Structure formats: C-alpha cells, structure tokens
Amino acid sequence: MSDITNHRTLGRSICIITGASKGFGRALAHKVSEGWLKPGSVLLLVARSQTLLQELKEELQSFTEEQQTVVHCVAVDLSTREGVNETVSMARQEAGNEIDHVLLINNAATLGEISNFASFTNIEEVNSYLSLNVSSALALTAGILQVFPCVPLLRWSVVNVSSAFALQPLPSWVLYCTAKAARKMMFRVLAEEQPHVKVLSYSPGPMETDMQKEILRLTGVKHHLLPCQESADKLVKLLLDDDFISGAHLDFFEV
Ligand code: NDP
C-alpha cells in the first residue's frame, strides 16, 4: 500500500465515473487517466451508451496502456435498480485487487423539464426525474460503501457533481434545483456520518456540453461556456491537494 499522506497522485484507485460517455464525465475520465492513477488502478465508466463508452475506453487505452490501468465500461441506466446493482457488482469484482483509494464521482444527471411550478402534477414524471438525479446517487454510493468498507490505509473520496442551482432558486427549474439541493444535503450527511470518507460537492461552472445545448434549445439563453477540460483540471487538482473540508460545496469560480 502506498503512503496515503502523499496525495500527489490519486493512488492505486478504483475510480468510478458516472455519466462518463459525454460532456464533463468524459473529460474527467481523460483527466484522471493522464498519469494521476497509479499502475494497477481500475476505471469504471458508467452511462447508458455502450458505443460512446467503448469509444472512450479505446481512446483512454491508447495512452493508459503503459500505466496499466484497467478500463471497464458499464452500460446501464442508473435510474433503475438493475443499473445501480450492475455497477456495484462490477466494482465488487475488483474488490479483491490491492487498491489504496476508492474514488466515486457521481456526475450523471439530466436537466429535466423546464416549466412553471404548477405544471408538475404528474407524480410518476417527478419520481422518474428524482430517481436518476437523486436516488441513484444515494443507492450507488451506499452500494460502493458496502463493497469497500473502511480499513486502515484505504483512502475514500466521493465527489458529487453539483451546480450553482443547489444553492440558488431559479424560476421554472424546480426539478433541477430540487435535485441538486437534495444531493448537496445527502453528501453533507455522508461527510458527517462517515469521517473516513472525504466528500466534495463540486459545482463545475457552465461548460460546453449537450446539457448546455438543451438549455439553449429550451430557454434561448446563451451562456459563456467553459471547455469541460478546464473544469476537470480544477476538480482533479482539488482531489490531489485534498485540503478541502469534507462535505464542502466548492464552485469552479471560487477555487
Ligand atoms: P451531459 O448531458 O453532457 O452528460 C450527462 C451524462 O450523464 C452522459 O454521460 C449521460 O450518458 C449520463 N446519463 C444521463 N442519464 C443517465 C442514466 N439514466 N443512466 C446513466 N447515465 C446517464 O451533461 P454534462 O456533462 O453537462 O453534466 C455533467 C454534470 O455536471 C451533471 O451533474 C450536471 O448537472 C453538472 N453541471 C453541468 C453544467 C454545464 O454547464 N454543463 C453546469 C453545472 C453543473 P448516456 O446518455 O450515455 O446515458
């Protein structure tokens, strides 16, 4: 096992990134693979699109080969029990390996319907949104905590990819704001309850992704957007420095 007081790498990790097929998750997969994972690490890429995950895996393997990181694609729908269970099972298969860092990045999310409050009368539609955007992050994190219980010298980090809208209400964005606010509290509870787990809610700033294309289509509002890599660099630096307070909510523009 490596010296866990030296975090200038992410260590010999099992790194699980949800929503890795596109956008910010994909940029993060590239970033962590740029030499920050020690040989023997395992990267689990989770999203629904098998084709995009497979393409990403091939991109990563072209430069991670010499670092001996094993990359697995987990093509599942995380809004379902089966999708969460399959991801946890895949992680369990790697639990026998000698790893010194569990890094779970809860990034997958959707924008959902943008509409006035009074339009959300359909409880199934609301539940379906919350299922991916809130419940799956809880159930997946809980499952991975069971697979890798606290043992000496095992570093544990959980990232909640958050948003400024976890803090700030925005008319017509009730689904998105509610989910991000709920997740922020969910991960604060984890930080309080499990002192061995370092928890970070990270708001990545407005980035050039499909989600932003959807925002433009639905609202007509065009934002100044960052390349995903720029925000991914900042998040990985935060994880390497590891000097944030567990449970903190940090914003791209403030760190
Ligand atoms: P994208 O819409 O570009 O990507 C979302 C990712 O989530 C995709 O990989 C998608 O893969 C995956 N995903 C969606 N639904 C499911 C599902 N049911 N099961 C499994 N995976 C799923 O989003 P961004 O990259 O823009 O966003 C990433 C994170 O950053 C989100 O949490 C978002 O809220 C947050 N954020 C984004 C901002 C931005 O400006 N883009 C600003 C602030 C926060 P697939 O379709 O293959 O399943």
Side-chain angles (χ1 to χ4, degrees):
M1 298 243 175
S2 68
D3 175 5
I4 60 162
T5 59
N6 177 4
H7 290 165
R8 290 315 300 175
T9 77
L10 294 173
R12 190 174 160 127
S13 305
I14 178 159
C15 174
I16 303 161
I17 304 178
T18 70
S21 63
K22 294 192 284 189
F24 187 54
R26 194 173 178 112
L28 274 174
H30 272 278
K31 186 66 201 169
V32 298
S33 305
E34 280 173 12
W36 300 115
L37 298 174
K38 280 196 171 171
S41 292
V42 178
L43 186 54
L44 296 194
L45 307 171
V46 190
R48 288 167 304 180
S49 167
Q50 171 72 45
T51 312
L52 291 178
L53 290 179
Q54 188 58 35
E55 180 192 283
L56 172 62
K57 176 177 170 171
E58 282 158 24
E59 281 168 25
L60 297 178
Q61 281 181 332
S62 63
F63 61 85
T64 55
E65 209 167 333
E66 67 207 44
Q67 297 150 26
Q68 298 154 333
T69 294
V70 175
V71 182
H72 292 301
C73 301
V74 191
V76 294
D77 182 345
L78 282 172
S79 68
T80 65
R81 186 209 313 230
E82 294 74 23
V84 171
N85 288 350
E86 199 175 323
T87 309
V88 173
S89 297
M90 189 62 116
R92 190 173 289 113
Q93 284 171 30
E94 303 298 332
N97 293 351
E98 262 217 17
I99 53 143
D100 53 30
H101 187 190
V102 180
L103 172 57
L104 169 58
I105 303 182
N106 287 292
N107 166 73
T110 53
L111 191 60
E113 189 87 10
I114 294 183
S115 182
N116 62 34
F117 201 102
S119 66
F120 292 99
T121 51
N122 183 329
I123 195 166
E124 277 87 21
E125 274 176 24
V126 173
N127 283 343
S128 155
Y129 182 81
L130 296 177
S131 183
L132 172 69
N133 291 284
V134 180
S135 312
S136 81
L138 174 55
L140 178 63
T141 306
I144 302 296
L145 280 165
Q146 287 192 13
V147 172
F148 298 97
C150 170
V151 290
L153 299 183
L154 178 65
R155 184 182 170 198
W156 237 109
S157 310
V158 177
V159 176
N160 165 37
V161 178
S162 188
S163 161
F165 298 127
L167 311 171
Q168 181 193 335
L170 184 64
S172 299
W173 287 55
V174 65
L175 290 183
Y176 191 80
C177 292
T178 301
K180 291 300 190 191
R183 287 167 62 122
K184 174 174 175 278
M185 179 53 83
M186 176 196 302
F187 287 103
R188 282 184 61 191
V189 171
L190 174 63
E192 290 287 325
E193 186 188 300
Q194 305 283 339
H196 71 286
V197 180
K198 199 77 187 278
V199 182
L200 174 63
S201 284
Y202 175 71
S203 171
M207 304 171 292
E208 284 164 6
T209 66
D210 285 0
M211 189 180 279
Q212 280 289 347
K213 284 186 195 145
E214 208 183 336
I215 293 171
L216 179 61
R217 185 179 66 79
L218 294 173
T219 68
V221 179
K222 197 163 187 175
H223 296 279
H224 174 72
L225 301 176
L226 303 160
C228 290
Q229 299 87 315
E230 212 175 304
S231 192
D233 284 357
K234 227 173 224 189
L235 173 55
V236 170
K237 184 172 183 315
L238 284 167
L239 291 169
L240 291 168
D241 293 346
D242 197 31
D243 56 9
F244 56 88
I245 294 168
S246 189
H249 190 274
L250 301 179
D251 189 282
F252 173 86
F253 293 106
E254 293 163 0
V255 291

